[in-house]
C-alpha cells in the first residue's frame, strides 16, 4: 500500500504483505541529514490512519503530545496516552490510527548516516534496537530540531546531527525503567566489566557464565533483557567497537587487529567485521584517511 507522494513515501515491495515504505528515495543518497515532520502534516492527508509498514534503513522517533492514538508495533496493539515518545527501530512493523487533530512530531534518521547511534558497537545501539513507548514530554528538544531543520543557517547539518544525538541520549536517560533494570542486577554489570577486561582474549560465553556462576543460557537471557543483545552478540559488539578504535588510531593491520582481539583466523574476523559494520576492515580505515 503506497502512501501519497506528497509525504515522500512509496512502497518498495508491492507483493510483500507488510509494505516496505521508502522515504525520499531511501536507497539513493539521502537529500538531507534528517527529515522532521509534524504529525498533522503526516497523517491528516491519510484520514488520520497510517497502515502497518516498515522501513529497512530508517529509524524513527515519534513525540505524541495530544490526541487519541492507537498504534501497532510488530503486531502488538498499544493505546498511547500523550505525552509519549515512541521509538521505532528500522525493520519494525508499525502503524497508527489517530484521532483528528492529533499533535506531535516525527524525526527520521537514515541509520547508515548516524553510526555513532546505530552501529552495533555504538553504546546507544542496543537500547535503541528495541521498540518502546516512553511516557515523556520532550517537546522543547523536538521543536528545536524542527526549527533548525526549517532554517538555512551556517553549520546546519552539523547542528542537526548534534541535536539528534542529544535527543536520543535524553530519551534513553528518561527511560527510568531500563535504568532500574540495570541497577537491579549487578551480575550484568559484572559481565560487562569482564568483557571489557577480556577483549584481547578468545573467552566464550561459557567462560563468562562460569565466572558468574550462571548457565550460558541464563546469562544470555539476562543479557538480552538488559542490553537487547544476547551474550554472544554483546561480546562481539564490544570486540567490533575495539576493532574500530584500533583500525583508526593505530597502524595495526587487519590481521594484527584480529589476533589482538583473540581471533585465530583473520579471514573470519574480517567476515564478522563486515557483517557488523557493512564495511571490510580496510574500507573502514579508508573512511578516516580520505
Amino acid at each position: 500500500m503506497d502512501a501519497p507522494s506528497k509525504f515522500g513515501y512509496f512502497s518498495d515491495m508491492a507483493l510483500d504483505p507488510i509494505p516496505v515504505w521508502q522515504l525520499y528515495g531511501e536507497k539513493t543518497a539521502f537529500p538531507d541529514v534528517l527529515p522532521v515532520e509534524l504529525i498533522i502534516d503526516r497523517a491528516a492527508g491519510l484520514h488520520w490512519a497510517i497502515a502497518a509498514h516498515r522501513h529497512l534503513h530508517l529509524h524513527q522517533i515519534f513525540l505524541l503530545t495530544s490526541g487519541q492514538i492507537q498504534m501497532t508495533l510488530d503486531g502488538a496493539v498499544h493505546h498511547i496516552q500523550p505525552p509519549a515518545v515512541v521509538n521505532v527501530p528500522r525493520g519494525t512493523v508499525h502503524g497508527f490510527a489517530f484521532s483528528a487533530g492529533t499533535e506531535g512530531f516525527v524525526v527520521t534518521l537514515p541509520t547508515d548516516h548516524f553510526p555513532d547511534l546505530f552501529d552495533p558497537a555504538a553504546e546507544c545501539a542496543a537500547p535503541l534496537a528495541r521498540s518502546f513507548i516512553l511516557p515523556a514530554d520532550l517537546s522543547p528538544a523536538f521543536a528545536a530540531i524542527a526549527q533548525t531543520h526549517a532554517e538555512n543557517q551556517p553549520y546546519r547539518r552539523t547542528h542537526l546531527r548534534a541535536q539528534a544525538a542529544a535527543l536520543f541520549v535524553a530519551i534513553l536517560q528518561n527511560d527510568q525503567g531500563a535504568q532500574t533494570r540495570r541497577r537491579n542486577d549487578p551480575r550484568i554489570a559484572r559481565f560487562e566489566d569482564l568483557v571489557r577486561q577480556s577483549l584481547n582474549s578468545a573467552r566464550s560465553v561459557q567462560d563468562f557464565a562460569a565466572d558468574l556462576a550462571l548457565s550460558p543460557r541464563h546469562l544470555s537471557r539476562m543479557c538480552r533483557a538488559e542490553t537487547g543483545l544476547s551474550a554472544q552478540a554483546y561480546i562481539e559488539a564490544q570486540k567490533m567497537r575495539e576493532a574500530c578504535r584500533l583500525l583508526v588510531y593505530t597502524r595495526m593491520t587487519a590481521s594484527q587487529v584480529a589476533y589482538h582481539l583473540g581471533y585465530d583466523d583473520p579471514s573470519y574476523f574480517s567476515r564478522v567485521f563486515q557483517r557488523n559494520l557493512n564495511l571490510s576492515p580496510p574500507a573502514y580505515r579508508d573512511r578516516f584517511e580520505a
Side-chain angles (χ1 to χ4, degrees):
M1 176 177 181
D2 294 349
S5 60
K6 65 180 285 189
F7 295 107
Y9 280 93
F10 62 91
S11 175
D12 190 45
M13 298 178 65
L15 300 179
D16 196 318
I18 303 173
V20 177
W21 287 0
Q22 309 289 352
L23 182 64
Y24 308 119
E26 182 184 334
K27 287 183 176 177
T28 60
F30 214 71
D32 202 352
V33 61
L34 59 85
V36 55
E37 302 168 89
L38 297 175
I39 295 296
I40 191 170
D41 294 337
R42 170 72 64 84
L46 299 173
H47 305 291
W48 299 98
I50 299 177
H53 64 284
R54 54 196 171 112
H55 307 287
L56 297 183
H57 308 287
L58 303 176
H59 189 112
Q60 292 187 308
I61 196 79
F62 293 81
L63 173 67
L64 303 168
T65 57
S66 71
Q68 297 178 357
I69 304 105
Q70 178 176 295
M71 182 179 189
T72 59
L73 279 171
D74 280 337
V77 178
H78 303 270
H79 296 274
I80 300 174
Q81 180 65 44
V85 171
V86 183
N87 183 62
V88 182
R90 59 183 170 182
T92 301
V93 181
H94 60 290
F96 290 94
F98 300 104
S99 62
T102 294
E103 295 183 338
F105 296 88
V106 56
V107 174
T108 303
L109 276 66
T111 53
D112 288 348
H113 293 195
F114 288 84
D116 288 349
L117 292 173
F118 303 118
D119 271 4
E123 64 178 342
C124 293
L128 290 178
R130 63 183 180 89
S131 59
F132 59 80
I133 300 169
L134 175 67
D137 188 357
L138 298 177
S139 295
F142 279 84
I145 292 176
Q147 181 175 345
T148 302
H149 186 270
E151 296 174 346
N152 189 24
Q153 297 295 324
Y155 315 112
R156 172 181 175 275
R157 291 176 62 86
T158 302
H159 193 184
L160 282 170
R161 293 179 68 86
Q163 286 179 306
L167 172 63
F168 277 88
V169 169
I171 289 168
L172 294 178
Q173 289 177 336
N174 272 272
D175 190 354
Q176 294 300 315
Q179 299 299 326
T180 300
R181 285 194 299 274
R182 291 182 67 83
R183 288 195 299 269
N184 281 347
D185 202 327
R187 290 173 294 182
I188 293 302
R190 176 60 178 156
F191 169 64
E192 292 172 339
D193 287 340
L194 289 171
V195 171
R196 283 191 291 269
Q197 295 166 17
S198 307
L199 289 176
N200 62 345
S201 76
R203 302 196 76 212
S204 66
V205 173
Q206 289 80 359
D207 295 327
F208 290 113
D211 290 341
L212 298 166
L214 297 170
S215 70
R217 179 176 295 182
H218 190 191
L219 173 59
S220 195
R221 183 166 56 247
M222 291 170 57
C223 187
R224 188 181 296 279
E226 297 284 354
T227 70
L229 298 173
S230 68
Q232 180 59 44
Y234 181 85
I235 295 167
E236 186 172 286
Q238 298 311 305
K239 284 182 176 284
M240 292 304 101
R241 183 179 183 184
E242 184 64 13
C244 291
R245 291 173 176 164
L246 293 172
L247 288 167
V248 172
Y249 296 117
T250 78
R251 300 312 306 163
M252 296 171 68
T253 66
S255 293
Q256 289 171 330
V257 171
Y259 291 129
H260 180 80
L261 293 175
Y263 291 91
D264 294 331
D265 182 355
S267 297
Y268 175 72
F269 162 76
S270 292
R271 292 195 297 272
V272 173
F273 192 95
Q274 178 81 39
R275 184 178 70 243
N276 279 270
L277 279 298
N278 294 318
L279 288 170
S280 68
Y284 182 86
R285 170 172 276 161
D286 287 347
R287 289 174 56 183
F288 297 90
E289 294 185 343

